[in-house]
């Protein structure tokens, strides 16, 4: 059985994936332009010793210290990261990337599924031995959409409908 998407579906997936990222960056970016924080869409690279200096590129990140750089990559830890799922990246985003974000000390991790219109908000905590672990803080869908909030940045606001403003095609 061939699981490949038809070419037409790939372009649609890419468009909606990008629209969710852009919605977040534009809405949140307009609220923090006068602060020390910056929000970045996909394309910004991070390199961390804890990840063997391999480059990782989140779909969205909020970082507080722009000075922590090595060439074209940030070495600082973003407080917030969001990944927008696609068929090709879902396993990687849910497992390897979550483990990396936990290990380096990201505070809040959103997994956004534009196909189901859901947001899983993960926070990271630590066991007594100091090892980090993720836990699902909240899942937000159309049924509880008023619960969508950035935990680490309570003054920043994006509504469920703003995040998923991707039109109907």
């Amino acid at each position: 059985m061939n699981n490949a998407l038809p070419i037409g579906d790939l372009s649609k997936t890419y468009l909606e994936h990008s629209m969710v990222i852009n919605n977040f960056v534009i809405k949140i970016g307009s609220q923090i332009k006068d602060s020390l924080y910056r929000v970045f869409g996909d394309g910004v690279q991070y390199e961390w010793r804890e990840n063997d200096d391999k480059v990782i590129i989140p779909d969205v990140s909020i970082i507080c210290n722009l000075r922590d750089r090595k060439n074209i990559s940030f070495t600082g830890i973003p407080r917030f990261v969001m990944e927008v799922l696609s068929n090709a990246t879902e396993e990687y985003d849910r497992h390897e990337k979550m483990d990396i974000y936990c290990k380096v000390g990201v505070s809040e991790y959103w997994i956004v599924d534009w196909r189901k219109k859901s947001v899983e908000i993960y926070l990271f905590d630590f066991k007594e031995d100091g090892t980090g672990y993720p836990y699902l803080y909240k899942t937000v869908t159309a049924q509880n959409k008023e619960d969508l909030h950035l935990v680490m940045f309570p003054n920043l606001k994006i509504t469920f409908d703003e995040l998923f403003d991707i039109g109907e095609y």
Side-chain angles (χ1 to χ4, degrees):
M1 186 164 106
N2 185 351
N3 288 334
L5 289 171
I7 295 298
D9 285 352
L10 278 176
S11 61
K12 186 174 182 202
T13 298
Y14 178 75
L15 180 64
E16 290 167 334
H17 182 271
S18 294
M19 288 171 79
V20 170
I21 293 167
N22 289 337
N23 291 345
F24 187 95
V25 170
I26 290 166
K27 184 69 179 171
I28 297 300
S30 69
Q31 298 172 57
I32 62 175
K33 63 181 184 294
D34 297 324
S35 75
L36 298 174
Y37 301 109
R38 288 292 175 268
V39 61
F40 292 105
D42 51 353
V44 172
Q45 307 183 154
Y46 290 89
E47 276 183 67
W48 300 305
R49 282 190 316 276
E50 298 88 344
N51 192 35
D52 301 323
D53 290 319
K54 291 193 293 264
V55 167
I56 192 164
I57 304 173
D59 285 336
V60 173
S61 57
I62 299 176
I63 190 164
C64 306
N65 190 346
L66 299 179
R67 291 186 303 266
D68 292 337
R69 294 177 68 177
K70 182 171 94 179
N71 301 321
I72 58 170
S73 297
F74 284 115
T75 56
I77 309 301
R79 296 266 312 275
F80 171 93
V81 169
M82 179 175 94
E83 297 289 355
V84 180
L85 297 180
S86 66
N87 292 345
T89 65
E90 182 164 2
E91 285 300 307
Y92 181 54
D93 291 341
R94 289 190 175 284
H95 301 291
E96 288 92 333
K97 274 191 165 178
M98 187 182 297
D99 290 345
I100 293 164
Y101 297 144
C102 181
K103 191 160 57 170
V104 300
V106 169
S107 302
E108 181 174 352
Y109 180 37
W110 285 16
I111 295 181
V112 177
D113 192 333
W114 60 265
R115 302 160 301 186
K116 296 177 183 169
K117 290 203 170 141
S118 71
V119 179
E120 297 169 25
I121 301 173
Y122 290 89
L123 301 177
F124 299 106
D125 207 342
F126 295 91
K127 299 177 186 166
E128 285 183 20
D129 67 2
T131 57
Y133 66 93
Y135 67 93
L136 181 59
Y137 172 75
K138 187 176 290 184
T139 300
V140 181
T141 64
Q143 282 69 45
N144 64 334
K145 64 183 181 179
E146 65 285 342
D147 290 347
L148 187 66
H149 300 287
L150 283 89
V151 178
M152 294 297 143
F153 298 95
N155 295 330
L156 300 179
K157 308 281 186 238
I158 184 166
T159 68
F160 187 86
D161 293 331
E162 288 167 339
L163 182 64
F164 289 109
D165 182 15
I166 55 178
E168 299 302 325
Y169 299 101

